[in-house]
Each structure stands twice: as C-alpha cells, then as structure tokens.
Amino acid sequence: MSNQTVTANSITVHGRGSLILPFRLNNDQGSQTDISGWPLYFEIDGIPIRERLQPDPGNPLGQVIVLERAQVEMLSKQPYDFALIDERQAAADIFTVLWTGKISRTGYKGAPDGVAGV
C-alpha cells in the first residue's frame, strides 16, 4: 500500500494520507493478548502529537493507531522518534514503552498545485 509503509521500527506515511495502523500484542506462546481496554498512547517527539489508541473494529482484542491528515502533514521527510506507551500504571508513575521507532512523511502535502481546498 502506498499510503503507509511499516516495518519493525519505522513508519512512513504519504503526506496526503492518514495513518490507520492496527496494533496487537502476542504473549510468549504466540496467542494474542487482549489489550482492548488498555490506555495506550502513541507519541511523536519533536511535534505535538500524543494520541490515544482507538478500538480496532476488525479485531476485538487489539487497538488502532490513528493519525489524521492534518497530523501527518506535521511530519517531515526527516524521521522523528515515536513511542507507543502503556499507561495502565500511570497513577503509580509507572509507564511501559511497548514499541519505539522512527516515523516520517513521504510524498507531498497540501492540495496539488492548482487545486484549491481539497
């Protein structure tokens, strides 16, 4: 899919798209862990993006990372660090980083030349 490319430690999103990325965890035996009720946040360092993950309509045990087009346009072609954080124990000041990597934008952003208000 040209809208987004995801590897184990990187995400690249086209500047005219949005990011919709299912997230799931498996236990040591390979079975999926139910994270549907966990308070998970996706943060990007260097720009003001901190988004709570949403329920995954295609997987009742998982969640989805969602960035709207306006947020994707805030990304640059140079990668930023991101972290996906489990905040179940936030009241005790304990946070667990579940995934880290780099995120960047590819392609162009804003309406194509000569097209207004898309």
Side-chain angles (χ1 to χ4, degrees):
M1 177 185 305
S2 60
N3 184 68
Q4 63 197 40
T5 303
V6 180
T7 68
N9 61 0
S10 71
I11 302 169
T12 305
V13 188
H14 194 283
R16 292 297 286 163
S18 300
L19 177 67
I20 300 173
L21 181 60
F23 182 77
R24 60 185 278 180
L25 287 177
N26 292 334
N27 63 23
D28 292 338
Q29 292 74 40
S31 298
Q32 187 175 357
T33 301
D34 184 355
I35 61 168
S36 60
W38 293 12
L40 302 176
Y41 288 85
F42 185 76
E43 299 180 347
I44 301 174
D45 187 37
I47 52 177
I49 292 181
R50 175 178 155 80
E51 288 293 320
R52 185 163 182 166
L53 273 64
Q54 301 176 14
D56 184 345
N59 180 349
L61 301 179
Q63 293 193 42
V64 179
I65 300 165
V66 176
L67 297 180
E68 290 112 12
R69 179 187 278 176
Q71 292 172 306
V72 171
E73 287 181 344
M74 294 168 62
L75 299 173
S76 73
K77 292 185 178 185
Q78 297 300 315
Y80 293 96
D81 291 319
F82 74 78
L84 195 150
I85 302 166
D86 172 2
E87 297 193 4
R88 287 178 294 161
Q89 298 181 60
D93 200 30
I94 299 194
F95 301 84
T96 303
V97 176
L98 301 175
W99 184 32
T100 65
K102 303 281 187 181
I103 186 169
S104 60
R105 175 184 52 80
T106 189
Y108 62 97
K109 62 181 182 174
D113 293 345
V115 178
V118 177

